[in-house]
Each structure stands twice: as structure tokens, then as C-alpha cells.
Amino acid sequence: MTTVTYSVPAIHCGHCTHTIEMEVGELQGVQSVKADQSTKKVQITFDAPVTEEKIKSLLAEIDYPVEGLINL
Ligand SMILES: [Cu+2]
């Protein structure tokens, strides 16, 4: 199980966080998604078959591109 936190500056409201949580949550292998409106961060816990690459390309597709990985 891997947890990553991404910086997603395009988040600007509760609709954005909801969309991200719904879309990323549908990827097989994603255990949890928490998108935060005030910090513009998305924390994702996942396992195979999904990969970071797939998560990032989905976020780019839905117009919430990842602009950085935050190492905790
Ligand atoms: Cu929004």
C-alpha cells in the first residue's frame, strides 16, 4: 500500500474536491482519496493494479493536473 500527497493548484471549491474524489476513487486499487480545498492537496492511498502514472494521467484528463508530489 502506498500513500502519496499531490499538489493540485486547480482545486478551487468543494465541487473540485468532490469530482477528484469520485473520479480517482473509481480507479481499481485506490483505497482512499482525500482532496482538500484550502490546501489544494490530494492524498491518495493505493495498491496494484493502479499506479501513480495512471492516477496522474486521470487527474490531468479531468483538468486537475498534479503540479508536485509532497513528501511527508
Ligand atoms: Cu471547483
Side-chain angles (χ1 to χ4, degrees), residues 10-61:
I11 294 173
H12 60 82
C13 69
H15 174 77
C16 298
T17 60
H18 182 73
T19 302
I20 289 169
E21 287 171 356
M22 294 298 289
E23 295 282 340
V24 176
E26 279 176 14
L27 290 172
Q28 202 169 7
V30 171
Q31 303 295 314
S32 76
V33 189
K34 271 175 267 166
D36 191 293
Q37 185 185 336
S38 55
T39 60
K40 301 181 192 293
K41 288 176 190 166
V42 183
Q43 188 181 73
I44 303 160
T45 300
F46 65 96
D47 213 336
V50 80
T51 60
E52 268 203 75
E53 212 160 277
K54 284 182 194 167
I55 293 168
K56 286 186 193 172
S57 72
L58 172 68
L59 285 168
E61 245 170 62

